[in-house]
Amino acid sequence: MGVLMCVVGIGIVCFCFPYIRCFLKRLSLLSKIKNACREKGYRLQGMHPFWFLGGKNGKRCDCTIETAEEVLAIKLFGMPRRRRVLVFTEKREYFTRILVGVLLLIKEAFDGKAKLFPEYDFVTACTMVSGDKKLRKILLVNPVPMEMMFRKERGKENKLSHFPMENMPKENAKERILSPGDELYGLEVANLTWLLKELER
């Protein structure tokens, strides 16, 4: 019985750890954004209670940051599990890729089921834009995955160039790395470091 309870306990810890990590990351995000806005005199407003815990499935914009020249409308998109690759497609879908390796050598990759990227609501944020201030729609990924990619179909050409793994299946698509500041579905992709630098400008 003792061994069984120990195994169950380890299983619970392993299951819960990514979500605990996500919660701690979001607390850190809240503190850093608040401090940056306070130092610069920017107006930070949450769109709902506990906005900093907003997830990818919530349809509303999570918060806005108003500066002297613009309003940043921010939607949070979390990846609790660190060792994943987040892949967006030109079909407006996304999925996660699990990388499996031995001794830091990646030998296999498994793609999860594709999900439709939500149509997020920025209407409330738009009504808050005063005067001629520019509205910027931000997709803030936090916690971040190992990598973010954008997949584009390319006819009958083959091979995924960014993952030259021995057993990777050939597919009629090509992928490129998504970096903070890139545009995705009309949104600016961001991580916390990039956002804080934007607020410092």
Side-chain angles (χ1 to χ4, degrees), residues 4-129:
L4 178 60
M5 293 298 293
C6 182
V7 171
V8 171
I10 293 173
I12 293 174
V13 170
C14 290
F15 176 80
C16 294
F17 177 76
Y19 301 98
I20 295 173
R21 170 180 173 269
C22 182
F23 179 72
L24 295 176
K25 287 282 187 181
R26 290 299 181 83
L27 287 180
S28 175
L29 174 144
L30 174 64
S31 175
K32 290 179 179 180
I33 290 180
K34 277 188 171 181
N35 289 339
C37 290
R38 187 182 302 113
E39 290 176 3
K40 289 290 185 177
Y42 298 155
R43 181 168 174 259
L44 170 65
Q45 181 170 341
M47 295 289 100
H48 55 85
F50 303 106
W51 63 265
F52 60 96
L53 298 179
K56 62 175 73 71
N57 296 321
K59 295 300 180 67
R60 285 189 295 173
C61 164
D62 291 308
C63 73
T64 60
I65 299 175
E66 184 175 2
T67 73
E69 296 82 22
E70 58 190 11
V71 174
L72 283 68
I74 298 171
K75 176 59 197 168
L76 288 161
F77 193 104
M79 287 292 294
R81 299 185 183 278
R82 177 74 175 92
R83 292 187 60 80
R84 297 289 188 274
V85 176
L86 178 59
V87 183
F88 298 96
T89 76
E90 65 177 345
K91 296 179 181 179
R92 201 180 171 87
E93 295 177 335
Y94 71 94
F95 61 87
T96 56
R97 175 174 295 148
I98 301 174
L99 305 180
V100 179
V102 178
L103 298 178
L104 302 181
L105 296 177
I106 298 173
K107 295 294 185 180
E108 190 66 87
F110 299 95
D111 289 349
K113 183 178 179 180
K115 299 179 182 179
L116 186 65
F117 187 82
E119 288 283 354
Y120 293 126
D121 178 14
F122 288 91
V123 173
T124 304
C126 289
T127 62
M128 298 176 60
V129 178

Side-chain angles (χ1 to χ4, degrees), residues 137-181:
K137 300 177 182 180
I138 309 292
L139 184 71
L140 179 55
V141 182
N142 181 274
V144 294
M146 180 184 296
E147 192 72 89
M148 290 188 291
M149 311 292 295
F150 183 79
R151 167 179 287 202
K152 183 175 182 180
E153 304 300 323
R154 58 175 190 177
K156 295 186 178 180
E157 299 178 32
N158 59 17
K159 205 93 172 176
L160 297 179
S161 59
H162 287 282
F163 294 95
M165 305 169 199
E166 294 177 4
N167 300 318
M168 179 73 118
K170 295 181 179 180
E171 300 186 23
N172 295 326
K174 63 179 179 179
E175 296 179 357
R176 64 176 176 84
I177 295 175
L178 268 180
S179 301

